[in-house]
Every structure is written in structure tokens, then in C-alpha cells.
Amino acid sequence: MISDDEQGYDLDLFCIPKHYADDLEKVYIPHGLILDRTERLAREIMKEMGGHHIVALCVLKGGYKFFADLLDYIKALNRNSDRSIPMTVDFIRLKSYCNDQSTGEIKVIGGDDLSTLTGKLLMLCFKDIIDTGKTMKTLLQRLKQYNPKMVKVASLLVKRTPRSVGYRPDFVGFEVPDKFVVGYALDYNEYFRDLNHICLISETGKEKYKA
């Protein structure tokens, strides 16, 4: 859990791409800490789901880095532990933000082949961030029509926000304050996905990349 008064780290302590130098306030969660926590999540997932075949569903675009790194750790555990998780993968894209505000409209892009999930034992859905929870609840309702036997959700971030509908994923990387963060594939109008660390965007950055 990251506290509300967490100030983050000075940018000059890290390697930040020059094209983002004026667009960020602080490094909020360094890349190394993200990877360390992700490895721990892999162990928790292995403990709970080891021995079951799962369909790993990546929610694009923001979830792709978390998805790739977490699966790499699970694959390492598959090679080096007594338990293993056979996996197949699929992808779906959701879009609900413009600038730093939710549009209130959730667009589901892709997922045309989700009918192949019908009756599968277990699904693990990878999400970058749970904000209000409305997007995730909409996706779960869509997935229900394919009758998977069980669905679990792993999210890198969960925001503490009064706008929350009360949804909580099964596996959480970090619980964070209600601040708009970018990096590690989280974007602001498609920018900052190429940033390793999770950072706080500056007002200059918001204006520069405003849609």
C-alpha cells in the first residue's frame, strides 16, 4: 500500500527519456520495485492456481507490460518448482479515458475469439489499473456470457478513490492514492507507455499531450 502522503522520487535519480523530462513531476514507483512486487504476485498465483490449466487474458493496451513480466515469472516458476501452470493466452482491448478523465463510456475492442473460452476451467485476467472499477465490472459481465468456470483478476494498481464502485481484484500489486499516473504501459492519450517507471504526470505534460 502506498500512502496518500507519498511524494515519490526526484527524476534526476533515474534514467528518464529526454523527451519526457519536462512532462513528469516525480517517479512514483520505480521499475525495480514493480518487478520485485510482480515476482511476488507470480508466487501467490502459483500457490493458488498451480496444477490448473488457465487462459491468461491480457487487457490492452495498458496491461501488456504487467502481463508479459508476470507471465515470465510464472514461466520461471514452472521450470523451477514442483507445481506448474499450463497456460494459453488471449487479448482484449478496453478504452474508457480521454485525457485524465473517464469518458463514462467503455469501448470493448477485439475479443472476437473469446467464444473459445466457453467452459474453460479457469481464467486469469491481467489489468493495469483498477480506478472506479466500472470498466472491470463491464468486462466481467461480458466474459460471463462465455461461461468460464472461474475468473480471477490480477491488477498491477488499485486506486483509493471515492468514485469506486467497490470492486476489488483477486491479486493486487500496489494500492495507490487517487492520482493520475503514467508509465510502465500506462498512458495519457497514448503517450508515456515507453516509460519504465510509474510516474506522476505534470500539468505541463497534461497540456502538451492533451487530446
Side-chain angles (χ1 to χ4, degrees), residues 7-8 17 26 28 31 33 40 42 46 64 77 92 101 116 124 127-128 130 168 170 179 187-188 193 203-204 206:
Q7 298 301 307
K26 296 281 187 176
Y28 205 54
H31 186 239
L33 182 56
R40 180 67 184 188
M46 177 67 75
Y64 85 87
L77 290 172
I92 193 169
Q101 299 295 320
T116 60
L124 182 59
K127 187 78 169 63
D128 52 348
I130 304 293
R168 185 85 178 177
D170 303 280
K179 298 180 180 180
D187 76 304
Y188 179 83
R193 296 196 194 274
E203 292 302 317
T204 300
K206 288 181 182 180

Side-chain angles (χ1 to χ4, degrees), residues 73-83:
Y73 284 123
I74 291 175
K75 287 188 290 185
L77 290 172
N78 281 346
R79 296 191 300 270
N80 300 303
S81 64
D82 294 334
R83 307 182 78 187

Side-chain angles (χ1 to χ4, degrees), residues 94-109:
L94 307 179
K95 187 172 179 62
S96 62
Y97 267 78
C98 181
N99 297 324
D100 61 348
Q101 299 295 320
S102 174
T103 62
E105 178 184 359
I106 299 167
K107 297 180 181 179
V108 180
I109 305 169

Side-chain angles (χ1 to χ4, degrees), residues 45-46 48-54 78 83-86 121:
I45 291 168
M46 177 67 75
E48 184 165 335
M49 298 185 174
H52 296 290
H53 178 275
I54 67 171
N78 281 346
R83 307 182 78 187
S84 62
I85 302 178
L121 176 63

Side-chain angles (χ1 to χ4, degrees), residues 11 16 20 22-26 182 192 195 199-202:
L11 298 178
I16 302 294
Y20 290 143
D22 297 326
D23 306 325
L24 303 168
E25 288 185 2
K26 296 281 187 176
V182 295
F192 302 102
L195 184 63
C199 299
L200 296 177
I201 187 173
S202 66

